[in-house]
Amino acid sequence: MELDIHTIRKDFPILEETVGGKKLVYFDNAATTQKPKIVIDAITDYYSAYNANIHRGIHHLAEKATAAFEDTRKTVKTFLNAASTEEIIFTYGTTDSINLVANTFGKKFIGEGDEIIISTLEHHSNIVPWQMLCEEKGAILKVIPINEDGELLMDEYKNLLSDKTKLVSVVHVSNALGTINPIKSIIDEAHKVGAKVLIDGAQASSHINIDVQDLDVDFYALSAHKLFGPTGVGILYGKKDLLLAMPPYRGGGEMIKEVTFEKTTYADLPYKFEAGTPNIADVMAFKFAIDYINTIGKENIAEHENQLLEYATEKLEEIPGLKIIGKAKEKVSVISFVLENIHPQDIGIILDQQGIAIRTGHHCTQPLMQRFNIPGTARASFSVYNTFEEVDSLIAGIKKVQKLLS
Amino acid sequence: MTINEQQEELIENFELFDDWEEKYEYIIDLGKKLPGLADEFKTEDNIIKGCQSLVWLNAKFEDGNVVFEADSQAIIVKGLVNMLLQVLSDHTPQEILDADLYFIDRIGLTSHLAQTRSNGLASMVKQMKTYALAYQSLGK
């Protein structure tokens, strides 16, 4: 279905903003997407009409707030096709979700000499928690290499797997290069040796349909703010039997059944992993973001984004001295590039002067940048509200960068 | 020239520019003109932390003045560094420590000098003042 992008743009108030007198061109969607008005309004509405602490209160407001909060859980369950809402845990973001698994599953099931496999494409948030765990436990971190196009070397991956492998934690879509990883086969191969799999879905969830049951994935982590939702809300999907076997993460209110000074028993799933008052307003507003995506249709969003990706790739490749980093056959709408003899930071500053927001630097993937032997890249990432005219502005902007900096 | 006279001169230069392009052409030109640092000074110790591009700063003490030399991978940063050097280099430690760098605000470049992770030129100013303090205590 052909989307009416100009109507969609009207849903996002921020797109009307100007930067130094120029129309904002927002191409930093891989860092965070903008928020539609219904999400912004939902937050205001919550604080204006039914702010209350959830789950314990018996008054009207508390019940209304609890219902709204749990509605989001149901919506996320359907969004990921999880078997039950008990498998949907609210966290503060993908980083928090990964740390939760490292500190619970990792604490209990990973020991000395065990191996954890990650990949060269990982964001620091899917590297550091495992390094910390390995250091504590005497476990070993193994890394799947990639080819020049930024694709995982699957044969190398299979060679890394053994009965020592306890966990494979791999990104679904690379935030820096846009590569879509073949997670179905990654999961199947890991299961053959009895390893569990965590997929970092931060970058994938706005572009790709996710069916956790079909994937048979053990853990799937994502962040609301990359899906038109608020910051400070993340999801950890986990298979029920695993979540039941895992110790709690943080201790506190909400996560208990009964507390005495001698012993505490823990709450049932999913509350066992949700200590303290959660980010109620933003969790509640996240439902509206998912509803928004469902109304437009993820396939339609992906189709538009792919058209932008194709168009931009073609136009960028025509620019002399420009090299695209990451040419995987399967990609989402993220383009990383470098310009000959020009530092990415200079590209970012001159584009910013023209109202064009991209990201420059290492994208929290320093080992990946080391792999390509570059200090960083300039990265443009597209979302459903971006237009072909905006891509043209980017191309003109880059030409200006080259003119000024040559 | 005193530190403030240098700042006034930079402000006057920037007042001549009509648009951002002219402003940045000037900064880029300053970047190209900065002699930079010999490789032997581009050490881990001389790296200014907190900048998106690598920035190196070296200092020496000559005839009672602190003389700075610096370099960067990124040309615009190099231009901004050149301006900082024009203002602060070759002054006494006390003058450097007392300096109020108002030119940054006045020429409208605060965003690039702000203390964010990507544009840590504020950490450069801090490092220059740290050198001044070190040389001052050595002098005493």
Side-chain angles (χ1 to χ4, degrees):
Chain A
M1 190 183 89
E2 191 78 12
L3 294 175
D4 180 0
I5 302 305
H6 292 281
T7 308
I8 287 174
R9 286 180 72 84
K10 292 198 182 96
D11 296 331
F12 294 82
I14 207 165
L15 300 177
E16 296 298 315
E17 288 294 305
T18 54
V19 179
K22 294 175 195 75
K23 218 171 149 230
L24 167 71
V25 174
Y26 187 77
F27 281 161
D28 196 15
N29 293 289
T32 195
T33 53
Q34 297 302 345
K35 319 305 170 198
K37 197 163 182 301
I38 48 158
V39 170
I40 301 167
D41 287 348
I43 296 169
T44 312
D45 186 42
Y46 167 75
Y47 283 121
S48 312
Y50 59 104
N51 170 50
N53 210 336
I54 53 170
H55 294 139
R56 296 276 170 270
I58 51 156
H59 54 81
H60 171 74
L61 290 186
E63 274 181 21
K64 196 172 169 190
T66 304
F69 185 87
E70 292 301 328
D71 256 0
T72 301
R73 204 185 304 272
K74 288 178 201 154
T75 306
V76 173
K77 173 201 163 272
T78 310
F79 188 69
L80 297 178
N81 194 32
S84 120
T85 49
E86 291 171 303
E87 299 180 318
I88 305 298
I89 296 157
F90 289 118
T91 65
Y92 298 104
T94 305
T95 301
D96 190 36
S97 298
I98 296 172
N99 275 279
L100 190 160
V101 177
N103 284 286
T104 56
F105 173 84
K107 200 168 165 181
K108 188 159 176 186
F109 296 107
I110 292 171
E112 200 178 338
D114 286 344
E115 294 177 358
I116 299 169
I117 297 177
I118 60 172
S119 86
T120 310
L121 293 170
E122 301 316 312
H123 189 281
H124 295 162
S125 63
N126 198 23
I127 302 174
V128 185
W130 308 118
Q131 284 176 330
M132 289 162 75
L133 181 71
C134 286
E135 201 164 307
E136 190 189 320
K137 295 282 192 166
I140 298 149
L141 196 65
K142 301 259 172 168
V143 184
I144 312 168
I146 54 169
N147 63 19
E148 271 306 302
D149 290 338
E151 294 165 319
L152 294 184
L153 298 173
M154 290 299 282
D155 287 339
E156 301 277 341
Y157 167 58
K158 284 174 204 162
N159 289 337
L160 289 177
L161 287 165
S162 75
D163 56 1
K164 287 185 187 157
T165 313
K166 289 290 171 295
L167 182 75
V168 175
S169 190
V170 171
V171 73
H172 193 167
V173 166
S174 158
N175 71 304
L177 309 183
T179 312
I180 303 173
N181 286 326
I183 60 164
K184 180 78 179 148
S185 22
I186 291 174
I187 295 162
D188 290 347
E189 292 298 329
H191 284 168
K192 282 183 197 163
V193 298
K196 304 296 179 200
V197 182
L198 185 156
I199 297 294
D200 166 358
Q203 206 56 244
S205 47
S206 67
H207 309 282
I208 300 169
N209 270 325
I210 299 147
D211 181 333
V212 290
Q213 294 190 77
D214 177 57
L215 288 169
D216 195 25
V217 67
D218 301 290
F219 301 104
Y220 197 97
L222 59 89
S223 293
H225 76 94
K226 309 248 193 206
L227 282 165
F228 313 112
T231 53
V233 177
I235 299 296
L236 175 68
Y237 159 82
K239 278 184 187 163
K240 187 178 172 185
D241 55 342
L242 273 171
L243 295 176
L244 283 170
M246 280 152 50
Y249 182 27
R250 303 187 178 99
E254 290 280 333
M255 54 79 74
I256 52 93
K257 190 170 274 168
E258 200 177 342
V259 177
T260 67
F261 284 119
E262 287 70 39
K263 185 167 173 59
T264 293
T265 51
Y266 303 118
D268 293 333
L269 291 176
Y271 309 109
K272 179 170 109 178
F273 295 104
E274 294 179 357
T277 297
N279 184 357
I280 304 166
D282 293 311
V283 165
M284 181 276 312
F286 182 33
K287 176 192 181 291
F288 291 83
I290 298 177
D291 287 347
Y292 184 80
I293 292 171
N294 290 338
T295 308
I296 301 178
K298 230 186 201 181
E299 292 82 3
N300 298 324
I301 294 175
E303 195 186 322
H304 176 66
E305 288 173 346
N306 288 339
Q307 284 171 4
L308 289 172
L309 175 71
E310 258 175 55
Y311 181 69
T313 305
E314 196 186 304
K315 290 279 170 189
L316 285 170
E317 278 177 335
E318 288 169 6
I319 299 178
L322 186 144
K323 188 181 170 204
I324 293 177
I325 306 290
K327 291 181 155 186
K329 281 180 273 306
E330 299 291 326
K331 257 183 88 164
V332 300
S333 51
V334 168
I335 307 185
S336 252
F337 61 92
V338 289
L339 290 175
E340 207 177 0
N341 298 325
I342 299 177
H343 193 278
Q345 189 178 11
D346 289 328
I347 303 174
I349 291 174
I350 298 297
L351 288 178
D352 177 54
Q353 293 302 312
Q354 303 171 74
I356 303 166
I358 60 151
R359 185 140 299 238
T360 59
H362 54 64
H363 317 297
C364 292
T365 57
Q366 285 178 0
L368 178 61
M369 297 297 119
Q370 287 152 16
R371 161 66 179 74
F372 284 104
N373 200 21
I374 48 177
T377 70
R379 181 190 70 186
S381 48
F382 313 123
S383 189
V384 65
Y385 39 68
N386 289 127
T387 65
F388 294 94
E389 292 76 35
E390 288 181 313
V391 174
D392 290 338
S393 303
L394 172 70
I395 302 301
I398 292 170
K399 287 180 179 161
K400 182 144 276 178
V401 171
Q402 287 183 315
K403 186 179 147 255
L404 281 171
L405 287 155
S406 60
Chain B
M1 241 193 284
T2 66
I3 285 177
N4 282 0
E5 282 165 357
Q6 277 288 3
Q7 296 201 76
E8 292 300 331
E9 193 174 287
L10 278 170
I11 293 163
E12 275 172 36
N13 286 347
F14 271 84
E15 277 166 358
L16 299 172
F17 304 134
D18 293 328
D19 60 19
W20 71 269
E21 271 187 72
E22 290 182 5
K23 209 181 205 177
Y24 276 84
E25 273 170 7
Y26 178 75
I27 300 169
I28 289 162
D29 198 41
L30 283 177
K32 287 177 180 163
K33 281 182 181 150
L34 186 73
L37 271 174
D39 280 349
E40 58 183 297
F41 294 112
K42 289 184 183 172
T43 59
E44 189 69 31
D45 281 349
N46 281 341
I47 290 176
I48 304 290
K49 304 276 185 254
C51 301
Q52 196 179 90
S53 50
L54 286 178
V55 179
W56 298 269
L57 175 70
N58 188 47
K60 36 190 191 185
F61 201 41
E62 286 178 357
D63 306 325
N65 281 353
V66 188
V67 177
F68 293 107
E69 300 169 315
D71 208 340
S72 169
Q73 293 175 312
I75 202 78
I76 294 170
V77 174
K78 218 168 150 181
L80 299 173
V81 164
N82 193 345
M83 285 194 272
L84 277 178
L85 258 52
Q86 282 181 26
V87 172
L88 287 181
S89 189
D90 212 4
H91 287 281
T92 67
Q94 194 59 53
E95 285 166 350
I96 295 167
L97 287 168
D98 292 342
D100 167 25
L101 295 177
Y102 57 83
F103 83 98
I104 298 165
D105 262 339
R106 293 267 298 276
I107 61 182
L109 289 172
T110 324
S111 62
H112 300 304
L113 289 148
Q115 258 171 327
T116 65
R117 276 194 296 187
S118 54
N119 300 305
L121 279 191
S123 13
M124 171 125 182
V125 176
K126 203 172 147 197
Q127 189 58 28
M128 291 168 109
K129 293 209 172 196
T130 308
Y131 269 119
L133 193 65
Y135 283 122
Q136 192 186 45
S137 36
L138 278 179
K140 272 175 189 166

